[in-house]
Amino acid sequence: MLIFSTIAIFVAISIIAIQQAYATGCPTNFVSEHITNAKTALQNGNNEEVLNQLQLAEDAIGMVSAE
């Protein structure tokens, strides 16, 4: 059940990250790096790292949105 929740969070953050990246002109490499790291952590079963990387991606989007 936790894995499904983590996947749902990952998909939601990914969609938001992509939308924000194109809407604000944020360099997609910065956000996509965190998303790529989250995918790798998810494949390795490291849920804590998945959540950490998604939080970093979300924070990066928030900083760009605030500007």
Side-chain angles (χ1 to χ4, degrees):
M1 189 68 171
L2 179 62
I3 292 175
F4 292 120
S5 298
T6 304
I7 291 171
I9 292 169
F10 175 74
V11 170
I13 296 292
S14 296
I15 291 170
I16 292 169
I18 291 168
Q19 289 174 343
Q20 289 295 320
Y22 288 112
T24 62
C26 171
T28 56
N29 292 339
F30 186 68
V31 175
S32 69
E33 179 181 337
H34 291 303
I35 293 172
T36 300
N37 292 343
K39 285 180 184 178
T40 302
L42 185 61
Q43 290 171 346
N44 294 332
N46 187 347
N47 291 334
E48 185 176 330
E49 183 62 19
V50 171
L51 295 175
N52 181 45
Q53 290 297 321
L54 292 176
Q55 183 62 48
L56 290 171
E58 190 175 53
D59 292 346
I61 292 167
M63 284 189 285
V64 171
S65 297
E67 291 179 352

